[in-house]
Amino acid sequence: MFIDSFGSMVFSEKVMKEVLSADSFRKLMKVRNEGMPMERPLADEVAEAMKNWAVEKGATHYTHWFQPMTGSTAEKHDAFLDRDRDGEPILELSGKALLKGESDASSFPSGGIRETFEARGYTVWDPTSDAFIREDTLCIPTSFGSYDGAVLDKKTPLLRSLETLNRQAVRLLRIYGEETRYVFSSVGLEQEYFLINKEDYAKRRDLILTERTLFGAPTPKGQVLDDHYYGTIRPRVKAFMKELDEELWKVGIYSKTEHNEVAPCQHEMAPVFARANIAIDENQLTMDIMKKVANRHGFVCLLHEKPFEGINGSGKHNNWSVSTAEGDNLLNPGKEPENNLRFLLFVTAVIKAVDDYQELLRVSVASAGNDHRLGGHEAPPAIISMYLGRKLRTVVDSIINGTDLKTAYAKSAKTEQNDDRNRTSPFAFTGNKFEFRMPGSSENVSCTNYILNTAVAESLKQFSDRLEKHAGKAELEDEIRKLVREELTAHERILFEGNGYSEEWVREAERRGLANIKSTPEAFAHYCDEKNVRLLTSHGILSREEIRARTVIGVSKYNNIINVEARTMLVMAEKDILPAAVKYGSEMAYGIESKQALGLDVEHETSILADINSHVKELAANNMRLKSVLDGQPADPEEAAMNAYRSILPVMNEERRIVDELELLLDKHSWPYPDYTDLLYYV
């Protein structure tokens, strides 16, 4: 059975218990769960056991697997092979090598926090995330930083945010009268993706270089019939999903759900929840495995947020909750949420966090790809708001207004539905968790989660500061209810139950003072807002310099993506599209001349040829404009990003309009690329 191979390639707690002494296993669990320091003798024993286990599984190499600021993962493989004092070959992994590694870091993005010649980077083992084997290599999850201690990765701030959330949540629970060993945020990531034929992908220069179609006239069907959504999975795709599950299960990923999504050839997989850093490690691994498995089935897996114009894009829905070490979900409302003070405290803390740091959350999902996705086709708008569902919203309104809850329940329809969905809401309560729907499908969501963890921790800290003097006293419950009412009233503006796509909501959001940040450059302009810097520095997540570096990295990546896309457009237009249109026009002109010689009517053909010639002329002129705006980019990364958004993208959009119209004028065999019907409706 498949369950027999589940986790077979993971150095899990079960394996650790089998291969370590009882005392060492107990100490390692304290390191994993309570943050105790790792002593060298323990590291040596764990490393030896890990190496022996990996070699038995066929591994010959090990790597410190880390997540630099590129957003993807990185690895440098070292063989277990070494030589002893007699010059004979041995297999070795020392505790020192397990705990810390050195990698050349000169070419990873640093945002100016270090010079290019400062080449050293150090990887440090994350013992809370299990090591695993991929092919012949033992992968050891690690953090990544510079020689002088600067944070150069996505994982370190996330681990720090988990610590601060734990500290503040445990503190508040103690004031409330409850004890727990620790508190952590857990995450479930719904991963959307497209599968297209490998041979079609190979014929599209834009897909190869940018992973999205820069040109493409709409297919007549699109997704208007909604027949793909949850439809029967095609045999080829089902075979891919079967192997994907098998590969994910081997490395201990609880791949649970798979189905067709709304757009043709779009699909989704969702795993079971896990501790935030583990869930994100597993998602990074999942995306890598998806691409490799797809290749073996004649597919290419597209993780771009908007690979096709006019149909759904792909997101990575971030389902977030917070639990105790004993497995108690602190966002579980119970049967009577109005009387569950602990739940009200924690849900109020999340509402306050999202409202206070809405700009920072928008930064966390900002990317060139996501800019194309947000605001339509089931993606939430750029305005952040929260949807609570009928029952919880009724409770919240009753608390704010001081009204009788039974009367409010009687007036509210379907109040038993805790987990009603609003597909246009960026941040929705869905029963015992919040679903943040804004992250893009290709993103590493460490940033999203360290911001969310830290913002909620700040709310909890403020609550504890206020409630601490009432701890153990009779008035504590009244003070909690007073605090909850005041905070919900102060942050009611972030709550919205309606249609996030409507123009009325845009106007209403502006009236409420909510941010409407439409582009990545505008989003990153808020990263260094003083309140955001204060939040992240006061909790020890990032320094001011590291925040600034992430701003530079974000806008520079945006610039590079827009630049690559624009130059790819130019190459496609000049090397493929214009020659095809000119050739087709010449053949049509010859046909017109031949028919005229026979005295036949050529009005229709002449009209089409004139239209083609007009588009060819328009495209050639727009190419010149595109070259001009590209050559005029400012040197400053932030200025360049804003210029790309305001000046380059409009010219690119015009380029696309001209080419897509031209595609409809040429016959299919004359067009140099597979069209949308070819790409989306393969057998």
Side-chain angles (χ1 to χ4, degrees):
M1 289 180 63
F2 72 87
I3 201 167
D4 296 331
S5 66
F6 185 88
S8 60
M9 294 297 171
V10 182
F11 192 71
S12 62
E13 286 191 12
K14 179 181 178 182
V15 174
M16 295 174 201
K17 194 169 187 178
E18 292 173 354
V19 300
L20 297 174
S21 66
D23 184 55
S24 294
F25 177 74
R26 179 182 58 79
K27 289 178 179 177
L28 184 57
M29 291 306 100
K30 282 188 170 290
V31 172
R32 284 167 67 91
N33 299 326
E34 300 175 30
M36 299 292 288
M38 171 76 79
E39 297 176 353
R40 182 61 183 275
L42 176 60
D44 286 336
E45 183 178 343
V46 173
E48 179 69 13
M50 191 183 290
K51 180 260 296 179
N52 291 339
W53 169 81
V55 170
E56 287 178 6
K57 294 286 184 179
T60 57
H61 290 68
Y62 70 93
T63 181
H64 275 196
W65 186 74
F66 60 100
Q67 301 170 28
M69 293 302 296
T70 57
S72 56
T73 58
E75 51 198 64
K76 179 191 73 171
H77 296 193
D78 287 300
F80 291 121
L81 187 66
D82 209 331
R83 87 176 123 216
D84 65 14
R85 292 178 181 178
D86 299 323
E88 295 299 316
I90 59 171
L91 298 178
E92 185 175 56
L93 175 64
S94 68
K96 180 181 179 182
L98 170 64
L99 291 175
K100 189 174 183 179
E102 182 177 344
S103 175
D104 185 350
S106 59
S107 293
F108 288 119
S110 70
I113 206 168
R114 65 205 305 262
E115 299 293 339
T116 301
F117 63 79
E118 296 177 313
R120 282 186 175 178
Y122 291 98
T123 49
V124 179
W125 181 33
D126 171 16
T128 66
S129 187
D130 292 335
F132 57 91
I133 296 173
R134 285 289 290 146
E135 296 165 349
D136 65 351
T137 303
L138 172 67
C139 299
I140 303 167
T142 60
S143 299
F144 180 57
S146 71
Y147 177 77
D148 60 2
V151 177
L152 296 177
D153 71 340
K154 299 272 190 177
K155 170 173 270 200
T156 301
L158 177 66
L159 294 176
R160 291 173 176 176
S161 75
L162 285 166
E163 291 174 6
T164 197
L165 178 65
N166 168 57
R167 186 165 54 251
Q168 298 303 334
V170 168
R171 179 187 174 201
L172 184 61
L173 286 172
R174 284 174 180 162
I175 293 170
Y176 182 69
E178 293 187 4
E179 291 290 332
T180 181
R181 287 178 293 142
Y182 59 89
V183 170
F184 63 95
S185 64
S186 57
V187 170
L189 295 166
E190 302 170 39
Q191 178 69 59
E192 295 175 338
Y193 61 96
F194 283 83
L195 291 177
I196 63 170
N197 275 327
K198 194 191 303 185
E199 58 266 29
D200 291 330
Y201 171 88
K203 297 173 184 175
R204 297 272 322 203
R205 200 188 306 255
D206 48 1
L207 285 173
I208 293 170
L209 296 178
T210 73
E211 212 177 73
R212 79 179 181 100
T213 52
L214 300 173
F215 303 118
T219 180
K221 183 180 180 183
Q223 61 189 44
V224 295
L225 298 181
D226 296 323
D227 54 341
H228 191 258
Y229 191 46
Y230 279 75
T232 301
I233 300 172
R234 285 174 284 190
R236 281 183 64 200
V237 174
K238 183 61 180 174
F240 157 82
M241 289 179 171
K242 181 177 183 296
E243 186 181 349
L244 176 63
D245 281 340
E246 291 169 353
E247 291 296 316
L248 294 177
W249 292 337
K250 287 178 187 176
V251 290
I253 297 174
Y254 284 82
S255 179
K256 179 79 172 177
T257 303
E258 56 195 28
H259 61 83
N260 289 345
E261 257 298 337
V262 177
C265 78
Q266 186 188 32
H267 313 280
E268 180 181 298
M269 71 78 62
V272 175
F273 278 65
R275 180 184 165 106
N277 66 306
I278 296 171
I280 293 166
D281 279 358
E282 291 180 346
N283 181 253
Q284 292 295 112
L285 181 56
T286 295
M287 291 191 288
D288 178 58
I289 293 174
M290 276 180 167
K291 288 183 173 291
K292 291 178 179 177
V293 173
N295 184 63
R296 294 199 288 266
H297 289 262
F299 290 125
V300 170
C301 177
L302 299 178
L303 293 170
H304 193 283
E305 285 72 23
K306 196 75 170 180
F308 303 103
E309 188 71 19
I311 61 175
N312 270 31
S314 294
K316 195 194 312 275
H317 302 160
N318 192 97
N319 293 279
W320 185 92
S321 64
V322 59
S323 302
T324 67
E326 295 73 31
D328 195 2
N329 186 338
L330 298 173
L331 293 180
N332 187 347
K335 293 183 179 180
E336 296 182 345
E338 66 275 14
N339 295 319
N340 188 341
L341 285 185
R342 189 186 69 180
F343 165 73
L344 290 174
L345 269 175
F346 276 85
V347 81
T348 300
V350 179
I351 292 169
K352 173 179 170 58
V354 173
D355 187 23
D356 284 346
Y357 297 101
Q358 55 187 279
E359 297 92 348
L360 200 50
L361 283 169
R362 177 66 181 87
V363 171
S364 79
V365 300
S367 70
N370 219 19
D371 282 358
H372 294 292
R373 168 181 167 262
L374 294 177
H377 294 110
E378 284 209 358
I383 303 169
I384 292 181
S385 64
M386 300 179 72
Y387 175 81
L388 299 182
R390 293 185 182 92
K391 184 171 185 177
L392 183 54
R393 184 61 194 266
T394 301
V395 171
V396 167
D397 287 346
S398 176
I399 292 171
I400 291 172
N401 299 321
T403 56
D404 177 65
L405 189 60
K406 289 184 179 179
T407 303
Y409 273 160
K411 291 180 179 179
S412 176
K414 299 180 181 179
T415 53
E416 293 305 313
Q417 294 295 323
N418 285 334
D419 58 350
D420 193 16
R421 297 292 181 93
N422 181 339
R423 309 307 287 180
T424 70
S425 176
F427 210 104
F429 184 72
T430 54
N432 60 3
K433 58 183 169 50
F434 282 95
E435 181 185 24
F436 189 31
R437 294 174 56 83
M438 292 183 79
S441 53
S442 68
E443 290 178 29
N444 179 324
V445 290
S446 291
C447 182
T448 292
N449 285 283
Y450 76 66
I451 286 172
L452 185 53
N453 289 343
T454 309
V456 173
E458 174 62 21
S459 296
L460 297 176
K461 177 183 181 299
Q462 292 182 27
F463 291 1
S464 293
D465 289 345
R466 174 171 170 175
L467 296 173
E468 209 154 33
K469 60 186 176 183
H470 302 283
K473 298 180 181 179
E475 74 270 13
L476 177 62
E477 181 175 331
D478 288 341
E479 189 64 24
I480 290 174
R481 291 192 179 277
K482 184 179 178 182
L483 180 152
V484 167
R485 182 178 182 184
E486 288 176 5
E487 293 293 348
L488 289 177
T489 301
H491 299 286
E492 185 181 10
R493 67 172 186 167
I494 202 71
L495 305 178
F496 178 64
E497 311 294 306
N499 179 8
Y501 293 162
S502 69
E503 286 300 317
E504 291 80 8
W505 167 235
V506 175
R507 292 191 291 272
E508 171 64 15
E510 183 178 8
R511 187 191 67 77
R512 295 187 187 189
L514 300 179
N516 184 6
I517 304 172
K518 297 179 181 179
S519 73
T520 291
E522 291 168 312
F524 273 101
H526 289 281
Y527 214 158
C528 292
D529 287 354
E530 193 54 40
K531 71 170 184 177
N532 296 334
V533 172
R534 186 165 54 248
L535 172 74
L536 296 174
T537 56
S538 66
H539 288 278
I541 310 301
L542 293 168
S543 68
R544 183 180 293 270
E545 293 74 23
E546 288 164 345
I547 296 167
R548 173 63 188 159
R550 276 158 173 70
T551 301
V552 173
I553 291 169
V555 296
S556 296
K557 184 175 182 179
Y558 179 85
N559 291 338
N560 290 337
I561 288 172
I562 300 301
N563 187 69
V564 169
E565 290 184 347
R567 296 192 184 281
T568 302
M569 274 187 154
L570 286 170
V571 171
M572 293 175 71
E574 294 181 346
K575 289 186 176 293
D576 301 318
I577 294 165
L578 281 173
V582 169
K583 181 180 179 182
Y584 184 77
S586 298
E587 292 171 352
M588 179 172 277
Y590 179 77
I592 290 171
E593 185 178 4
S594 299
K595 291 180 73 174
Q596 284 177 324
L598 297 172
L600 299 175
D601 179 63
V602 292
E603 181 180 355
H604 177 65
E605 294 94 321
T606 302
S607 174
I608 293 175
L609 181 57
D611 209 355
I612 291 171
N613 286 338
S614 174
H615 279 78
V616 166
K617 183 178 179 180
E618 196 176 5
L619 180 56
N622 202 71
N623 285 347
M624 297 300 295
R625 283 194 292 272
L626 189 51
K627 290 176 184 176
S628 176
V629 292
L630 284 170
D631 291 341
Q633 274 287 73
D636 178 77
E638 287 163 286
E639 291 180 16
M642 194 59 71
N643 183 68
Y645 173 63
R646 292 175 175 168
S647 300
I648 298 177
L649 276 179
V651 183
M652 290 173 64
N653 292 336
E654 181 66 6
E655 186 93 351
R656 176 163 199 148
R657 180 195 67 78
I658 298 166
V659 171
D660 289 356
E661 289 178 359
L662 190 57
E663 180 184 340
L664 297 176
L665 294 171
L666 273 63
D667 72 38
K668 178 175 175 56
H669 299 293
S670 299
W671 195 248
Y673 307 113
D675 62 19
Y676 269 24
T677 300
D678 296 326
L679 292 166
L680 297 171
Y681 294 100
Y682 54 80
V683 177

